[in-house]
């Protein structure tokens, strides 16, 4: 006797309509989970979240700008160094130009490292914000990351997210 279902889990072939429904439910769950995370970050802690967002954005912008500036200046200095080597008027003058370009490239490399540190700081700021939001998530009616990990059944996760979504968005 073939077994088609155990504990309401079907092992039979799925029809196209049930597959479509499963996909819709999955995409609905992804959307609601994303909404839960966005609301968890801000609802009830809007000012604090805003400060973290501005700080993170500023450090990210500074890091990206510094990184681009360093890369452009390094490529410019590299071409200038090649020009100094290929078209020397005297050996002393070529050496002076080359040493100044090497000195400037060291500064540009230090700028690149500082920019990488700013980008990392932006990541750290985002993580601190997320951890603080997780601490008060349950008090404000949201699921924390620990709560999501504890749920082994996706249906349970879906139902709880649906309730949270309906309470905060539709309600």
């Amino acid at each position: 006797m073939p077994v088609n279902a155990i504990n309401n889990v079907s092992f039979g072939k799925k029809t196209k309509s049930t597959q479509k429904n499963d996909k819709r439910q999955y995409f609905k769950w992804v959307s609601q989970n994303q909404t839960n995370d966005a609301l968890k970050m801000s609802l009830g802690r809007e000012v604090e979240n805003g400060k973290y967002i501005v700080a993170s954005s500023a450090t990210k912008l500074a890091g990206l700008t510094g990184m681009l500036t360093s890369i452009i200046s390094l490529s410019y200095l590299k071409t200038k160094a090649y020009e100094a080597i290929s078209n020397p008027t005297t050996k002393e003058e070529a050496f002076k130009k080359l040493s100044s370009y090497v000195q400037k490239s060291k500064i540009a490399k230090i700028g690149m490292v500082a920019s990488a540190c700013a980008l990392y700081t932006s990541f750290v700021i985002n993580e601190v914000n997320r951890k603080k939001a997780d601490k008060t998530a349950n008090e404000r009616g949201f699921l924390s990351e620990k709560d999501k990990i504890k749920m082994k059944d996706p249906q349970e996760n879906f139902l709880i997210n649906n309730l949270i979504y309906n309470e905060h968005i539709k309600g």
Side-chain angles (χ1 to χ4, degrees):
M1 176 166 106
V3 177
N4 291 332
I6 298 174
N7 292 336
N8 295 328
V9 177
S10 177
F11 297 109
K13 290 185 178 180
K14 292 186 176 184
T15 63
K16 284 190 177 186
S17 63
T18 58
Q19 284 178 341
K20 232 179 199 179
N21 267 346
D22 286 351
K23 280 185 180 180
R24 283 187 184 145
Q25 288 290 77
Y26 174 76
F27 291 129
K28 181 180 176 185
W29 175 78
V30 167
S31 175
Q32 288 180 349
N33 207 16
Q34 191 72 21
T35 304
N36 175 68
D37 288 346
L39 287 172
K40 174 187 74 175
M41 295 299 286
S42 63
L43 200 66
R45 54 187 300 276
E46 290 86 355
V47 174
E48 185 179 6
N49 186 46
K51 288 178 182 178
Y52 279 109
I53 289 172
V54 169
S56 174
S57 299
T59 54
K60 191 180 295 181
L61 180 64
L64 289 174
T65 304
M67 190 68 72
L68 287 173
T69 304
S70 297
I71 290 170
I72 291 169
S73 65
L74 277 174
S75 64
Y76 172 76
L77 291 170
K78 197 177 206 178
T79 57
K80 285 294 189 182
Y82 284 134
E83 286 176 14
I85 293 171
S86 61
N87 301 328
T89 52
T90 65
K91 287 185 178 183
E92 287 180 3
E93 193 175 311
F95 182 73
K96 284 180 183 177
K97 283 183 179 179
L98 190 59
S99 64
S100 73
Y101 294 139
V102 167
Q103 188 71 21
K104 290 176 184 175
S105 71
K106 285 181 182 177
I107 293 169
K109 287 176 184 174
I110 290 170
M112 191 177 284
V113 170
S115 300
C117 289
L119 289 172
Y120 180 72
T121 302
S122 172
F123 171 75
V124 169
I125 290 170
N126 280 332
E127 285 301 305
V128 167
N129 188 22
R130 193 176 59 77
K131 292 288 184 189
K132 283 190 173 183
D134 272 348
K135 278 185 181 177
T136 61
N138 290 333
E139 298 165 9
R140 294 179 292 120
F142 298 103
L143 295 174
S144 67
E145 296 299 320
K146 288 179 183 176
D147 296 335
K148 289 179 188 177
I149 291 170
K150 286 179 186 175
M151 284 187 250
K152 299 206 184 332
D153 182 21
Q155 289 299 327
E156 179 186 2
N157 194 348
F158 175 77
L159 291 172
I160 291 173
N161 267 321
N162 200 20
L163 290 171
I164 292 170
Y165 180 83
N166 288 337
E167 180 182 331
H168 291 286
I169 300 296
K170 293 182 179 177

